[in-house]
Amino acid sequence: MGKRGREIVKLDVDELLELLNKAFADEWLAYYQYWIGAKVAVGPMRGAVVAELIEHAMEELKHAGMLTERIIQLGGTPLLKPSDWDKHTNCGYEAPSDPSVKKLIEQNIEAERCAIDVYNKLVEMTKDKDPITYHIVLEILEDEVEHEEDLQALHEDMMATKSMF
Ligand code: FE
Ligand code: FE
Ligand code: MG
């Protein structure tokens, strides 16, 4: 990476790179959890749920891209093998082995809550220390907060609809 670009980072860059790679692993697993969930989903409000899952999948993929660019810019190497994702993830992966829309939404809400904690920590850590990474993780945090809310709203609608019958 650029010499001055690295010098202005007031953090241990290697440690930061490790944390960015862990978040990068989370994003790929989140992407796949949404993507495959959208394929196998069954149950009430399927159309609305699938549309939301696909939208979120695309946003998780975008996050992975944002993180990779910063990892490379800081002189690091993004995880190169899918088998590394499992080893480095913070939030893990929940297979949609029960493809009911309710269960899928609940699993993804859990994942979003974990993501919020991960990015909130990165925001706190980089604030006033690394403005470039700060800007990136703040933008991702905003998306994850929105994701949690979208899924919770769907879950509430689903529960309300159910009690009407
Ligand atoms: Fe994400
Ligand atoms: Fe998300
Ligand atoms: Mg959404």
Side-chain angles (χ1 to χ4, degrees):
M1 71 168 300
K3 182 171 177 283
R4 184 67 73 214
R6 188 179 172 112
E7 281 170 0
I8 61 166
V9 177
K10 295 190 223 107
L11 289 167
D12 180 329
V13 175
D14 291 333
E15 191 190 320
L16 177 62
L17 281 167
E18 226 177 280
L19 296 176
L20 293 176
N21 252 325
K22 287 172 72 65
F24 175 71
D26 291 335
E27 293 295 351
W28 272 106
L29 293 172
Y31 163 73
Y32 190 68
Q33 190 171 312
Y34 276 123
W35 186 89
I36 196 68
K39 298 290 183 199
V40 300
V42 290
M45 297 174 56
R46 190 181 160 276
V49 172
V50 166
E52 197 68 52
L53 298 180
I54 292 171
E55 187 188 290
H56 288 194
M58 292 308 140
E59 285 167 355
E60 309 305 5
L61 191 57
K62 184 190 79 184
H63 297 161
M66 292 162 72
L67 292 166
T68 332
E69 280 171 29
R70 185 59 179 151
I71 288 167
I72 291 168
Q73 199 173 52
L74 284 169
T77 307
L79 300 176
L80 297 175
K81 298 179 302 212
S83 57
D84 288 335
W85 300 340
D86 248 349
K87 290 177 212 145
H88 294 267
T89 178
N90 301 290
C91 298
Y93 175 80
E94 290 290 333
S97 32
D98 172 357
S100 73
V101 285
K102 181 172 171 285
K103 182 73 186 176
L104 289 181
I105 289 175
E106 287 166 359
Q107 282 177 336
N108 286 309
I109 287 174
E110 276 316 301
E112 292 298 345
R113 288 180 180 159
C114 178
I116 289 170
D117 289 341
V118 167
Y119 289 107
N120 194 42
K121 275 189 201 136
L122 281 165
V123 162
E124 283 172 4
M125 183 183 165
T126 53
K127 190 171 190 300
D128 303 323
K129 307 272 187 200
D130 176 357
I132 312 273
T133 303
Y134 174 76
H135 187 260
I136 292 166
V137 293
L138 181 60
E139 190 179 323
I140 298 178
L141 178 62
E142 284 169 8
D143 285 348
E144 309 303 11
V145 166
E146 192 182 305
H147 288 171
E148 184 204 24
E149 193 196 6
D150 288 347
L151 295 178
Q152 258 186 249
L154 266 177
H155 195 262
E156 281 160 26
D157 286 354
M158 200 172 283
M159 294 300 108
T161 311
K162 212 168 155 187
S163 62
M164 278 166 55
F165 295 99

